[in-house]
Amino acid sequence: MRIFISTGEVSGDLQGSLLVAALRKQAIAAGLELEIVALGGDKMAAAGAILLGNTSEIGSFGLLESLPFVLPTLQVQRRAIAYLKQNPPDLVVLIDYMGPNLGIGNYLRRQMPQVPIVYYIAPQVWVSSITLGNTERIIHVSDKLLAIFPEEARYFQDKGAKVTWVGHPLVDRIEQFPSREAARRQLGIADDATAVALLPASRHQELKYLLPVMFQAAQIMQAKLPQVHFWIPLSLEIYRKRIEKEIQRYGLQATVVSGQQQQVLAAADLAITKCGTVNLELALLKVPQVVVYRLSPFTYWVARNILKITFPFASPVNLMVMNGIVPEFIQEQASPENIIQAAMEFLLNQERKQQIQADYQQMQRSVGELGVCDRAAREILQMLYH
């Protein structure tokens, strides 16, 4: 049996790799022959998928931001479709990555209508206001949706989709993280040192829009707390030179690490982070965080004024419970002053720190029980063999 999985960006590669591992484990246990071909990244390949194209670096958010990626995306898609024509899959899994995945989904619907399509981690159309067209397109290409947020499951169910809520895959991943003590030992962080994680980028554009404001805030923090040390785990090795150059420019006491993101997150007293999956990891580790996001001013203006997009929250932590648990600063709100004020509160005010940890505890009820990836894999394999 052949499963084709399609995803993009760094987070899609991570989620895809967890799913590939669970699918293969269950197939082996059941004595099934399973081949998994994919559009994804190195993590999926390491988990045992055969990559038809690497999409982990093809990622952007916004109008102008996505232009450089249009051609590479189309080329990768063409290659995948040519392969699928020659080697038709028995089932297809789409993970997030809306534009490209809807393109592939529509093609398969037309050309191979008998092949079941599962959408796992649907794009977050349930969050913003302009999405009915996209919602219908997602439902049209999917035989089944596997939802990771309770609110997402309700939204798609109300629209008539076949949905199963499986929980959030990070619940499984957090189990593999080291304890705070072990992580600090592995990184050589003293007990009394203040470790702050900076997570500026998993996409190219974020280096441009987020890194300067984050490093300005870090510079101010360092002046106020000389014992602070910053830790920056790279999401992609290609960002190293740029980030190291900026560290020198801002005079930060900072260490850049590769392949040790779990240790950095687990060891941190605080994180200043971009908006994304990593917010949930930090919440599950009970690490206080300040979330920031910026797009190009043009994209943001168009989204607000022409497309009239509104959204209640940006960070998945807040979306999980539809409540502002973590401070998030978007666009012009993402100023060094705002970031510093929120960050220093977490570091200096014990009550504020306890409050967010209690909120995290409450959020944990919405992420589901352990075994998320196994549940998702079981749903997928059931469709394959029934």
Side-chain angles (χ1 to χ4, degrees), residues 171-245:
V171 177
D172 296 351
R173 184 170 142 80
I174 289 297
E175 285 295 290
Q176 299 148 21
F177 276 60
S179 67
R180 177 185 157 86
E181 295 69 37
R184 286 177 89 100
R185 221 177 19 253
Q186 285 162 18
L187 294 169
I189 300 173
D191 290 344
D192 57 350
T194 302
V196 174
L198 296 179
L199 299 137
S202 64
R203 302 173 173 129
H204 290 271
Q205 70 190 60
E206 291 162 347
L207 289 176
K208 180 176 172 183
Y209 296 116
L210 292 183
L211 193 117
V213 70
M214 222 178 251
F215 279 20
Q216 281 162 21
Q219 201 178 31
I220 301 167
M221 186 184 285
Q222 192 170 282
K224 291 179 191 262
L225 298 172
Q227 79 277 21
V228 77
H229 191 88
F230 299 102
W231 292 84
I232 305 171
L234 291 176
S235 55
L236 292 168
E237 191 57 41
I238 46 172
Y239 299 154
R240 180 183 285 276
K241 271 204 175 70
R242 171 83 186 271
I243 289 175
E244 285 177 342
K245 205 172 108 189

Side-chain angles (χ1 to χ4, degrees), residues 2 6 24 63 68 76 84 107 120 137 149 177 182 194 224 231-232 269 289 293-294 309 328 358:
R2 178 180 297 118
S6 171
R24 292 191 62 204
L63 305 168
V76 166
L84 296 175
Y107 171 83
Y120 172 51
R137 283 193 279 277
F149 294 100
F177 276 60
T194 302
K224 291 179 191 262
W231 292 84
I232 305 171
D269 295 297
Q289 60 185 306
Y293 210 75
R294 277 184 169 185
I309 296 178
E328 50 178 60

Side-chain angles (χ1 to χ4, degrees), residues 35-326:
E35 180 186 63
I36 299 174
V37 294
L39 290 178
D42 297 343
K43 286 193 172 73
M44 285 174 77
I50 300 160
L51 281 198
L52 304 180
N54 194 321
T55 52
S56 61
E57 288 175 24
I58 307 179
S60 63
F61 188 72
L63 305 168
L64 297 177
E65 292 88 339
S66 52
L67 289 177
F69 300 101
V70 172
L71 207 59
T73 303
L74 287 173
Q75 285 165 336
V76 166
Q77 275 185 315
R78 255 184 226 133
R79 211 174 350 169
I81 283 170
Y83 177 90
L84 296 175
K85 264 186 194 160
Q86 299 295 312
N87 312 276
D90 297 290
L91 182 137
V92 171
V93 181
L94 306 175
I95 300 178
D96 201 359
Y97 206 41
M98 184 161 73
N101 271 345
L102 286 180
I104 286 178
N106 282 324
Y107 171 83
L108 292 167
R109 268 280 168 266
R110 283 194 311 273
Q111 303 298 327
M112 306 178 189
Q114 76 290 356
V115 175
I117 299 176
V118 177
Y119 219 129
Y120 172 51
I121 311 184
Q124 291 186 344
V125 293
W126 51 279
V127 174
S128 89
S129 56
I130 58 144
T131 48
L132 269 170
N134 286 334
T135 299
E136 280 155 16
R137 283 193 279 277
I138 290 165
I139 294 171
H140 167 71
V141 303
S142 314
D143 293 289
K144 180 146 210 191
L145 282 151
L146 299 180
I148 61 172
F149 294 100
E151 197 60 40
E152 170 199 1
R154 276 194 290 275
Y155 173 86
F156 281 110
Q157 237 148 8
D158 291 347
K159 301 276 183 286
K162 247 182 104 172
V163 189
T164 302
W165 177 57
V166 289
H168 202 292
L170 289 183
V171 177
D172 296 351
R173 184 170 142 80
I174 289 297
E175 285 295 290
Q176 299 148 21
F177 276 60
S179 67
R180 177 185 157 86
E181 295 69 37
R184 286 177 89 100
R185 221 177 19 253
Q186 285 162 18
L187 294 169
I189 300 173
D191 290 344
D192 57 350
T194 302
V196 174
L198 296 179
L199 299 137
S202 64
R203 302 173 173 129
H204 290 271
Q205 70 190 60
E206 291 162 347
L207 289 176
K208 180 176 172 183
Y209 296 116
L210 292 183
L211 193 117
V213 70
M214 222 178 251
F215 279 20
Q216 281 162 21
Q219 201 178 31
I220 301 167
M221 186 184 285
Q222 192 170 282
K224 291 179 191 262
L225 298 172
Q227 79 277 21
V228 77
H229 191 88
F230 299 102
W231 292 84
I232 305 171
L234 291 176
S235 55
L236 292 168
E237 191 57 41
I238 46 172
Y239 299 154
R240 180 183 285 276
K241 271 204 175 70
R242 171 83 186 271
I243 289 175
E244 285 177 342
K245 205 172 108 189
E246 295 298 311
I247 287 170
Q248 282 189 310
R249 200 164 84 111
Y250 287 93
L252 299 181
Q253 304 166 77
T255 306
V256 179
V257 296
S258 264
Q260 286 186 299
Q261 177 150 334
Q262 294 190 359
Q263 283 82 350
V264 170
L265 299 188
D269 295 297
L270 167 78
I272 300 175
T273 168
K274 56 160 272 183
C275 192
T277 308
V278 71
N279 304 162
L280 271 176
E281 289 179 312
L282 288 160
L284 292 169
L285 292 164
K286 308 269 193 295
V287 175
Q289 60 185 306
V290 180
V291 177
V292 293
Y293 210 75
R294 277 184 169 185
L295 293 161
S296 81
F298 172 74
T299 295
Y300 190 74
W301 186 86
V302 170
R304 277 328 259 256
N305 297 296
I306 293 177
L307 301 176
K308 301 279 189 246
I309 296 178
T310 56
F311 46 89
F313 299 105
S315 168
V317 175
N318 294 339
L319 289 172
M320 193 58 94
V321 287
M322 285 296 169
N323 189 5
I325 294 180
V326 299

